[in-house]
Amino acid sequence: MTFINSKFIKSEYSDIAKVSQGQSVCFYGMVQNVRVTKWGGFVIVRKPEGLIQTVIQKDTSSIIDEEGRSIGINDISREMAITIHGTVNSANIKDKSVKYNTIEIEVSKIQVISRPSTTEVIDVNALKFSDDESVLRYKFDNRQVSLRNPKDMAIFRVSSTIAQSFAEYLISVGFTQIFTPKIVSEGAEGGANVFNMDYFGKQVYLAQSPQFYKQIGVGVYERVFEIAPAYRAEKHNTSRHLNEFISLDVEMGFIKGQEEVMELEMNLLRHIIASVNEKCSHELQLLEAQLPCLPENVPVYRLSEAHELLYNEQLTADHRGEDDMAPEEERAICKYAKEKFGSDFVFITHFPTEHRAFYAMNDPEDPTLTLSYDLLMCGIEITSGGQRIHKEEDYRKKMAERGMNPDNFKFYLDTFHNGMPPHGGFAIGLERITSFFLGISNVKEASLFPRDINRVAP
Amino acid sequence: MTFINSKFIKSEYSDIAKVSQGQSVCFYGMVQNVRVTKWGGFVIVRKPEGLIQTVIQKDTSSIIDEEGRSIGINDISREMAITIHGTVNSANIKDKSVKYNTIEIEVSKIQVISRPSTTEVIDVNALKFSDDESVLRYKFDNRQVSLRNPKDMAIFRVSSTIAQSFAEYLISVGFTQIFTPKIVSEGAEGGANVFNMDYFGKQVYLAQSPQFYKQIGVGVYERVFEIAPAYRAEKHNTSRHLNEFISLDVEMGFIKGQEEVMELEMNLLRHIIASVNEKCSHELQLLEAQLPCLPENVPVYRLSEAHELLYNEQLTADHRGEDDMAPEEERAICKYAKEKFGSDFVFITHFPTEHRAFYAMNDPEDPTLTLSYDLLMCGIEITSGGQRIHKEEDYRKKMAERGMNPDNFKFYLDTFHNGMPPHGGFAIGLERITSFFLGISNVKEASLFPRDINRVAP
């Protein structure tokens, strides 16, 4: 019998982020690359936050294999797991994928811990971003290893920072995190793109969104958020769709109007942008990305106003009277707002009732319109939101107008039957906002293991 | 066209947690209960963190309905959404479900914002914890409203604090959060309890755990964690099983042995327990729960040692030679450890190879055993963990021994083919640890919307 106690884990290792010149260090990592020279060479080591360069001198650096035998730099190969002992030297490294570009480690000893089965490992350093289908397919087919590419690593450091700062901000303004089921008996968003499944003889669905559950959550906790997968059975394979994605969901009670929801979303995005700028500066540099401008005042246009403005200013064709923004309008109004107000973000509000989900609240001043909005960023919609209906009778009326059977929404309607405050919310797709922030054209590049009509592995 | 800007949301409302006697306040909430007296009465208001009492005086308090008409306290009913203006008075409230038990609000004005469709709302105050199947069924059938019960609200405040402090601790020691797919082409844990689904003509599964993906994550980021749903097609409906649960998953690279994983888990649990004690003191009081003792030194027994000890000390029947701990042994060794070492936690290690998952690493000193562990808390297993195999050849060998087809694990094996450090990890079921911490006997009570063989709604 022994004890486990709480001495600090791995205290013998140095925190590379905090070392200074001349210091003796010990750390571990995977070999990202090796460059052999006449006098020795360089071993580039992968750390979670980026690469670090180590320098081997034939005369003074010893390299030891798993069995304790002395080996040479020629025996070091990519994707070995190693421990490095050495001294910090100053350096000036041009390679942008090297995070620690002002230092290098003069190696006294490298110890090999484990090695791949082959010396012909996938060369992750050679992987490029590309819209070419065959390049993407190769990367996704080999995702289990291609993620070891520094640029891919940077993408998912940014996306986890986005998710964490999303939670952090919402908790700071009184939200409660909830976890709701993804196996559901009722679809939330409707339509054909829902996955069915057999559940002990019953037909069930994978949740398209936590819409019903987050509204229920408002009746309990006033303000709730969720970070969880959502499912859309997209039959078209495009650069903008994923069949499984992480939905950042927000729902907020006791609002006086959808403007409060919009204001919350702006404050939230402001916090997320600041957090990513602060915590991921290396990642942004490596990906050559610049986060969008979110000024104090963000312009808001009603849909009809936007159509009118763009036509009058001769920025687009005539879309007046249309139910939604045309893609050319989304691009044009963002360009216009950037020039005029310095904002990469534009709100479009008051979409026609028939164009929005049944739970969207009608505008009391014009029931053909809803208190709903889209948020555009740099020409593309990144989120939809708005105020929801909170009275049972209003749901029943809208369901009757749409020919929906209220019996299919029993527990949902019961929530409103038992009392609900006015409320509204929105959802942001994590992969979508990550790819937009980073200027990545295919949203699948922002999913660790993307799912589309053709892909369920790895 | 207008602007949305970032003034602080709802600044007109008071933070009830920070008010002091004599202060004028304004806040909103749902009516949890009403008690009418001769002179007026009490309106108990629900806030996310607990209840607050307000006092109505017939002569001085005005109550206004949605249309601006003056009404009486008799017209106030449960689950109305209201805004309250008033003054803080000191009080001494015995009802434990009232969070703010040292103050009450002397009402000057209540404004009704919205109301249920019925005055006969479900009386959530009358709901009790119970192992009685019919009581549970009623609560779960009406979960959309029964969650408004203060004790249920407290449970999920604790569970979200557990999830957040889990993430917080791991980020502080260098872990990266990942989001991995739940639609998968290969099962991780094997066995019969897996949900199948049709995916555009292919058979796919709902992930039983992110095991393969978190191991892949270690090859990329050294240390990773995930908070996400996991699925088990449990055909038996018990108080210890859920078919959908939130799995708190950890995987850690560059370990020297499973002791490092165990040490990490202890430090993590220590942080979680401290966070819950700090942030959820009202919830713990309301639920009459006391968190477990986790001393500096936690005892560790090999399985064979534990069998031997319990038999020799005449604490259980003779289980020597058995493949796992018997339930009476789990209870007995926890009682023993509590008395002898003051620890509610006990590790059992070195389970037989054939009893553990194929990815468990064999003990080099005795390949019939694995470097794996169970963590017991107060008599029940709360988590399994251990060191994993990190060499492709060792996987192929184990798969051959078990008659597994390596072609079914192509991308998984390719991960090790391309090099992996030694690693290990563990998983904690969020609902399970929440119910154990709170002394709740049915794990379903710790799931917002539980899923079992009979239940997929609400």
Side-chain angles (χ1 to χ4, degrees):
Chain A
M1 182 257 166
T2 56
F3 288 109
I4 284 288
N5 54 38
S6 65
K7 59 188 191 295
F8 186 69
I9 292 171
K10 301 199 176 188
S11 51
E12 79 256 46
Y13 296 111
S14 320
D15 182 350
I16 293 297
K18 292 180 183 151
V19 298
S20 54
Q21 210 193 318
Q23 193 180 324
S24 285
V25 292
C26 168
F27 64 103
Y28 55 71
M30 303 287 280
V31 176
Q32 187 84 12
N33 220 345
V34 185
R35 290 205 315 277
V36 179
T37 63
K38 276 183 196 153
W39 45 266
F42 300 95
V43 175
I44 312 297
V45 180
R46 181 167 71 242
K47 296 298 293 174
E49 67 273 25
L51 305 178
I52 181 162
Q53 178 165 296
T54 73
V55 187
I56 311 284
Q57 308 280 0
K58 266 184 192 158
D59 302 340
T60 55
S61 310
S62 77
I63 306 179
I64 310 292
D65 77 3
E66 300 92 314
E67 319 295 329
R69 289 174 300 228
S70 187
I71 55 174
I73 187 170
N74 287 305
D75 302 310
I76 295 280
S77 60
R78 282 201 300 266
E79 300 303 329
M80 282 180 171
I82 60 175
T83 308
I84 302 101
H85 293 261
T87 311
V88 180
N89 268 347
S90 65
N92 181 9
I93 299 167
K94 296 286 183 294
D95 181 350
K96 276 209 284 191
S97 62
V98 176
K99 155 102 173 176
Y100 299 102
N101 58 2
T102 60
I103 56 168
E104 59 186 13
I105 308 298
E106 192 75 38
V107 170
S108 58
K109 180 179 151 192
I110 281 180
Q111 167 74 58
V112 178
I113 305 169
S114 68
R115 64 177 68 208
S117 323
T118 171
T119 52
E120 304 286 303
V121 299
I122 292 178
D123 184 0
V124 296
N125 305 297
L127 295 170
K128 298 270 175 266
F129 283 92
S130 165
D131 290 335
D132 188 290
E133 264 302 315
S134 67
V135 174
L136 278 176
R137 195 177 318 120
Y138 179 81
K139 278 178 69 170
F140 294 150
D141 282 350
N142 296 285
R143 202 68 163 161
Q144 64 278 4
V145 181
S146 69
L147 285 170
R148 300 176 186 180
N149 172 306
K151 286 193 177 180
D152 282 301
M153 290 180 68
I155 293 174
F156 297 100
R157 300 266 299 177
V158 170
S159 88
S160 78
T161 303
I162 291 174
Q164 284 148 18
S165 55
F166 170 86
E168 186 178 74
Y169 179 77
L170 292 171
I171 289 168
S172 80
V173 294
F175 281 74
T176 299
Q177 184 170 16
I178 57 174
F179 297 94
T180 73
K182 305 308 152 199
I183 294 180
V184 296
S185 55
E186 298 165 0
E189 304 300 317
N193 63 354
V194 55
F195 286 110
N196 305 314
M197 195 182 96
D198 173 75
Y199 188 89
F200 307 113
K202 282 193 222 51
Q203 164 150 307
V204 299
Y205 309 99
L206 293 188
Q208 293 165 300
S209 88
Q211 183 64 35
F212 296 173
Y213 295 102
K214 66 179 180 169
Q215 290 184 261
I216 291 173
V218 164
V220 183
Y221 289 120
E222 296 178 1
R223 298 174 164 198
V224 296
F225 73 92
E226 181 165 16
I227 301 173
Y231 299 89
R232 305 281 163 95
E234 302 285 354
K235 285 176 195 72
H236 42 293
N237 186 1
T238 81
S239 63
R240 287 177 62 177
H241 291 93
L242 285 165
N243 290 8
E244 178 175 33
F245 65 98
I246 299 298
S247 186
L248 306 176
D249 265 279
V250 173
E251 202 76 15
M252 177 187 189
F254 292 91
I255 60 172
K256 290 183 177 139
Q258 68 167 335
E259 292 72 19
E260 281 184 53
V261 180
M262 293 155 73
E263 189 183 321
L264 174 78
E265 187 169 1
M266 286 301 94
N267 289 344
L268 170 62
L269 284 171
R270 206 167 270 119
H271 177 79
I272 291 173
I273 290 169
S275 299
V276 173
N277 270 325
E278 184 200 324
K279 294 179 184 164
C280 301
S281 58
H282 168 67
E283 287 80 359
L284 294 174
Q285 243 185 323
L286 175 58
L287 297 167
E288 295 173 13
Q290 205 176 354
L291 297 187
C293 292
L294 179 40
E296 175 65 18
N297 288 303
V298 175
V300 182
Y301 297 89
R302 287 168 161 254
L303 176 64
S304 57
E305 245 181 347
H307 287 322
E308 196 74 38
L309 170 81
L310 293 169
Y311 176 67
N312 289 343
E313 298 276 332
Q314 298 186 295
L315 296 170
T316 64
D318 186 2
H319 293 282
R320 290 174 300 175
E322 289 178 15
D323 273 1
D324 199 355
M325 293 287 277
E328 68 157 337
E329 289 187 295
E330 295 186 333
R331 287 189 297 272
I333 202 151
C334 285
K335 194 155 171 272
Y336 180 83
K338 178 70 185 233
E339 281 162 14
K340 203 158 159 113
F341 308 111
S343 178
D344 279 324
F345 293 85
V346 180
F347 282 107
I348 309 293
T349 64
H350 295 83
F351 286 87
T353 302
E354 57 196 40
H355 191 72
R356 301 295 275 206
F358 74 93
Y359 49 76
M361 181 175 265
N362 288 350
D363 183 353
E365 289 171 16
D366 178 356
T368 67
L369 301 179
T370 49
L371 300 178
S372 66
Y373 70 83
D374 279 1
L375 177 61
L376 308 180
M377 188 190 111
C378 306
I380 304 179
E381 178 216 316
I382 59 162
T383 163
S384 280
Q387 184 162 357
R388 328 299 191 180
I389 297 173
H390 63 274
K391 288 188 179 163
E392 183 187 8
E393 65 197 74
D394 293 341
Y395 275 103
R396 291 193 180 271
K397 209 174 140 204
K398 203 154 216 186
M399 285 177 169
E401 281 164 17
R402 298 196 172 197
M404 294 164 73
N405 182 356
D407 293 347
N408 293 342
F409 299 88
K410 224 170 152 312
F411 75 80
Y412 185 56
L413 289 172
D414 190 60
T415 311
F416 306 100
H417 183 77
N418 281 280
M420 276 288 281
H423 62 284
F426 57 90
I428 304 173
L430 178 59
E431 298 82 355
R432 187 172 271 211
I433 195 174
T434 303
S435 63
F436 286 0
F437 273 15
L438 298 178
I440 294 167
S441 57
N442 194 321
V443 69
K444 290 174 198 168
E445 298 245 32
S447 173
L448 272 175
F449 300 95
R451 294 293 178 253
D452 64 32
I453 187 167
N454 302 313
R455 179 174 298 284
V456 283
Chain B
M1 182 259 163
T2 55
F3 288 109
I4 285 286
N5 55 38
S6 66
K7 57 189 193 294
F8 185 69
I9 292 171
K10 301 200 177 188
S11 50
E12 78 257 48
Y13 297 113
S14 321
D15 182 348
I16 294 296
K18 292 180 183 151
V19 298
S20 55
Q21 209 192 318
Q23 192 179 324
S24 286
V25 291
C26 168
F27 64 103
Y28 56 71
M30 302 288 279
V31 175
Q32 187 85 13
N33 219 347
V34 184
R35 290 206 314 277
V36 179
T37 63
K38 278 183 194 151
W39 45 265
F42 300 95
V43 175
I44 312 298
V45 180
R46 181 167 72 243
K47 296 298 293 174
E49 66 273 24
L51 305 179
I52 181 162
Q53 178 166 295
T54 74
V55 186
I56 311 285
Q57 308 280 0
K58 266 185 192 156
D59 302 338
T60 54
S61 308
S62 79
I63 306 179
I64 310 291
D65 78 2
E66 300 92 314
E67 317 296 329
R69 288 175 300 228
S70 188
I71 56 174
I73 188 170
N74 287 305
D75 302 311
I76 295 281
S77 60
R78 283 200 300 266
E79 299 303 329
M80 281 180 170
I82 60 175
T83 309
I84 302 100
H85 293 261
T87 311
V88 179
N89 269 347
S90 67
N92 181 8
I93 299 168
K94 297 284 183 295
D95 181 351
K96 275 208 284 189
S97 62
V98 176
K99 156 100 174 179
Y100 298 103
N101 58 2
T102 59
I103 56 166
E104 59 187 12
I105 308 299
E106 193 76 38
V107 170
S108 57
K109 182 179 152 193
I110 282 180
Q111 167 75 58
V112 178
I113 305 169
S114 67
R115 65 176 68 208
S117 323
T118 171
T119 52
E120 305 285 303
V121 299
I122 292 177
D123 185 0
V124 296
N125 305 298
L127 296 170
K128 300 267 176 269
F129 281 92
S130 166
D131 290 335
D132 187 291
E133 263 302 316
S134 66
V135 173
L136 278 176
R137 196 177 317 119
Y138 178 82
K139 278 178 67 169
F140 293 152
D141 282 349
N142 295 284
R143 201 68 163 162
Q144 64 279 2
V145 181
S146 69
L147 286 170
R148 299 177 186 180
N149 172 307
K151 287 194 177 179
D152 282 301
M153 289 180 69
I155 293 173
F156 298 99
R157 301 264 301 177
V158 169
S159 88
S160 79
T161 302
I162 291 173
Q164 283 147 19
S165 54
F166 170 85
E168 187 176 74
Y169 180 77
L170 292 171
I171 290 168
S172 80
V173 293
F175 280 75
T176 299
Q177 184 171 15
I178 58 174
F179 298 93
T180 73
K182 305 308 153 199
I183 295 179
V184 297
S185 55
E186 297 165 359
E189 303 300 316
N193 64 352
V194 55
F195 286 111
N196 304 316
M197 194 182 96
D198 173 75
Y199 188 89
F200 307 113
K202 282 193 220 53
Q203 164 150 307
V204 300
Y205 310 100
L206 293 188
Q208 292 166 300
S209 89
Q211 183 63 34
F212 295 172
Y213 295 102
K214 65 178 180 170
Q215 290 183 262
I216 290 173
V218 163
V220 183
Y221 290 119
E222 296 179 2
R223 298 174 164 198
V224 295
F225 72 93
E226 180 165 16
I227 301 173
Y231 299 89
R232 306 280 164 96
E234 301 286 353
K235 286 174 195 72
H236 42 295
N237 186 2
T238 82
S239 64
R240 287 178 63 179
H241 291 93
L242 285 165
N243 290 8
E244 178 175 32
F245 64 98
I246 299 297
S247 187
L248 306 176
D249 265 278
V250 174
E251 200 76 17
M252 178 186 189
F254 292 93
I255 60 173
K256 290 183 178 143
Q258 67 166 335
E259 291 72 20
E260 281 184 53
V261 180
M262 295 156 73
E263 189 184 321
L264 174 78
E265 186 169 1
M266 286 300 94
N267 289 344
L268 170 62
L269 284 170
R270 207 166 269 119
H271 177 78
I272 291 173
I273 290 170
S275 298
V276 173
N277 271 325
E278 183 200 326
K279 294 180 184 163
C280 301
S281 58
H282 168 67
E283 287 79 0
L284 294 174
Q285 243 185 323
L286 176 58
L287 297 167
E288 296 173 12
Q290 205 177 353
L291 298 187
C293 292
L294 179 41
E296 175 64 19
N297 287 302
V298 175
V300 182
Y301 297 90
R302 289 170 160 253
L303 176 64
S304 56
E305 246 181 346
H307 288 320
E308 197 75 39
L309 171 81
L310 293 169
Y311 176 69
N312 289 342
E313 298 276 333
Q314 298 184 297
L315 297 170
T316 65
D318 185 2
H319 295 281
R320 291 175 300 175
E322 289 179 13
D323 272 0
D324 200 354
M325 293 286 279
E328 68 157 338
E329 289 187 296
E330 294 187 332
R331 287 190 296 271
I333 202 150
C334 285
K335 191 153 171 276
Y336 180 83
K338 179 70 186 228
E339 281 162 14
K340 201 159 160 113
F341 309 111
S343 178
D344 280 324
F345 294 85
V346 180
F347 282 107
I348 308 295
T349 64
H350 295 83
F351 288 86
T353 302
E354 57 197 40
H355 190 73
R356 300 296 273 206
F358 75 93
Y359 49 77
M361 182 175 264
N362 289 350
D363 183 354
E365 289 171 17
D366 178 355
T368 69
L369 302 178
T370 48
L371 300 178
S372 66
Y373 70 84
D374 278 1
L375 176 63
L376 309 181
M377 187 189 112
C378 306
I380 304 179
E381 178 217 316
I382 60 162
T383 163
S384 280
Q387 183 161 359
R388 329 299 192 181
I389 296 173
H390 64 273
K391 288 190 179 162
E392 182 188 7
E393 65 198 74
D394 294 339
Y395 276 103
R396 292 193 180 270
K397 207 173 145 207
K398 202 150 214 188
M399 285 177 170
E401 282 164 19
R402 298 194 173 198
M404 295 163 73
N405 182 355
D407 292 346
N408 294 341
F409 299 87
K410 224 170 153 311
F411 75 79
Y412 185 57
L413 289 172
D414 189 60
T415 311
F416 306 99
H417 184 76
N418 281 280
M420 276 288 280
H423 62 284
F426 57 90
I428 304 173
L430 178 59
E431 298 83 355
R432 186 172 273 210
I433 194 174
T434 302
S435 63
F436 287 179
F437 273 14
L438 297 178
I440 295 166
S441 58
N442 194 321
V443 70
K444 291 176 198 168
E445 298 245 31
S447 172
L448 272 175
F449 300 95
R451 295 292 179 256
D452 63 32
I453 187 167
N454 302 312
R455 180 175 297 284
V456 282

